[in-house]
Amino acid sequence: MKLYIYHTPESTPVHEVPECAIAVDVLRATTTIATVLSAGGEAVEAFSDLDKLMIESEKWSPEKRLRAGERGGAKVPGFDLGNSPLDCTPELVQGRRLFISTTNGTRTLQRIENAKTVLTAAFINRAAVVQYLVEKQPETVWIVGSGWEGSFSLEDTACAGAIAHSVLQHTKLSPDEVAGNDEVISAIALYSQWQDNLLGLFHHASHGKRLLRLECHEDLKYCSQEDILDVLPMQEKPGVLKSY
C-alpha cells in the first residue's frame, strides 16, 4: 500500500485514478458528512453547484430531505442548514437525505469520484478510515485535502497526516515503505507536532480564523476531536455517500 497526500484537489495528477481516494475537509464538510451518517441520515448527496442541488432535491419529499448550503463559511439563504455538524442531530437527520454544497469539500469529491473506492475522512472518524485501509490494503491511496479555494490548509493536511501516522502504527511499516510522495512525510510531521493541541492548530489556520469570526467556536472544538465516531462514509455512486 502506497499513500499519496495532495493538499488540494487541483494538485492531484490529472490523468490518474487511485484504487482508493479519501476526501478530507475537516472544517467542515467531511466532519458534517460523518456526523449525519452516524446520526442515522439515509445518505449524503454532494453538489458543487447550488442550482443542481435544488433540482435534484426537489425529487424528494420535504420530509425525506434536508438542504445544506455553505459559501465562505456562512449558510446560503433559503437552505435548511449551513455546514455546521452541530446542527445535524439524530432528531433532525434520521432517515433523511442531506443534499449538501460547500465551498471546498464538494469540489474534492467531484475530483476523485472515479476512484474504485471513495471515502471521506475527518479527525472525528479517522480510526474507521484507518481500519478500512489496514484491512483492505488498497494498492494506491490518495488522501486529498480540500484546502481553501485552491490553496493549502493546515487542518486538512494535518488530518491526512493523522491517517498516515495511524496506518504506520498499525502496520509497523516504515515511512519509506508507505509514503508515495514527500507530502506524506511532511503531513505526518505536521500532525505529530500538533496532535495534542488540534484546536490550537485550528486557531492558526486561515479557515479556522474565518469560522471564529463567524462565531463558530463550538464547531472548531467538535471538529478537533479524534476518533469519536465509528462511521465510514463511502461513495455508493458519484456524489452519494452512505455509511459502511
Side-chain angles (χ1 to χ4, degrees):
M1 177 169 56
K2 282 286 187 184
L3 303 182
Y4 297 81
I5 290 174
Y6 299 100
H7 300 311
T8 65
E10 292 82 5
S11 63
T12 57
V14 176
H15 302 296
E16 295 178 33
V17 177
E19 187 175 347
C20 176
I22 304 168
V24 177
D25 186 5
V26 173
L27 297 176
R28 295 162 289 174
T30 56
T31 301
T32 296
I33 289 167
T35 302
V36 167
L37 294 177
S38 178
E42 181 267 336
V44 176
E45 190 162 351
F47 297 82
S48 55
D49 184 276
L50 290 168
D51 293 332
K52 285 183 181 177
L53 184 156
M54 295 300 290
I55 292 167
E56 286 301 312
S57 62
E58 280 295 326
K59 298 174 183 177
W60 291 65
S61 62
E63 62 272 12
K64 287 292 184 182
R65 71 173 186 233
L66 286 166
R67 294 166 173 156
E70 172 266 320
R71 289 295 182 268
K75 178 186 169 195
V76 176
F79 279 65
D80 301 307
L81 300 165
N83 191 21
S84 173
L86 298 180
D87 292 337
C88 302
T89 61
E91 296 77 18
L92 182 65
V93 306
Q94 181 81 39
R96 302 170 90 175
R97 176 167 293 208
L98 183 76
F99 295 84
I100 188 170
S101 181
T102 71
T103 308
N104 301 295
T106 43
R107 285 181 18 260
T108 305
L109 281 166
Q110 203 168 40
R111 168 63 190 94
I112 64 176
E113 66 184 14
N114 292 324
K116 182 179 176 183
T117 301
V118 175
L119 310 173
T120 68
F123 283 110
I124 61 171
N125 72 319
R126 187 263 311 253
V129 172
V130 170
Q131 182 181 349
Y132 175 89
L133 295 177
V134 172
E135 288 180 358
K136 301 296 185 182
Q137 292 281 321
E139 188 174 343
T140 54
V141 180
W142 289 3
I143 309 174
V144 185
S146 297
W148 178 262
E149 296 182 341
S151 61
F152 174 92
S153 70
L154 282 170
E155 69 279 0
D156 290 346
T157 297
C159 184
I163 294 167
H165 180 269
S166 188
V167 166
L168 291 176
Q169 286 184 321
H170 282 83
T171 60
K172 308 299 185 189
L173 295 170
S174 71
D176 286 343
E177 291 174 290
V178 171
N181 60 3
D182 286 359
E183 286 87 338
V184 174
I185 306 300
S186 66
I188 291 171
L190 177 65
Y191 171 69
S192 297
Q193 181 175 348
W194 288 96
Q195 60 183 315
D196 297 324
N197 186 19
L198 292 173
L199 183 57
L201 176 69
F202 290 2
H203 280 248
H204 286 293
S206 59
H207 192 39
K209 292 175 182 176
R210 193 175 290 110
L211 291 173
L212 288 171
R213 290 193 293 271
L214 293 167
E215 304 294 327
C216 296
H217 302 267
E218 295 304 315
D219 275 25
L220 292 193
K221 288 181 185 176
Y222 178 77
C223 294
S224 69
Q225 298 176 96
E226 287 188 281
D227 307 334
I228 61 168
L229 297 183
D230 185 22
V231 61
L232 183 69
M234 185 180 294
Q235 180 176 270
E236 182 184 64
K237 62 181 182 179
V240 178
L241 298 145
K242 294 200 171 186
S243 178
Y244 287 86

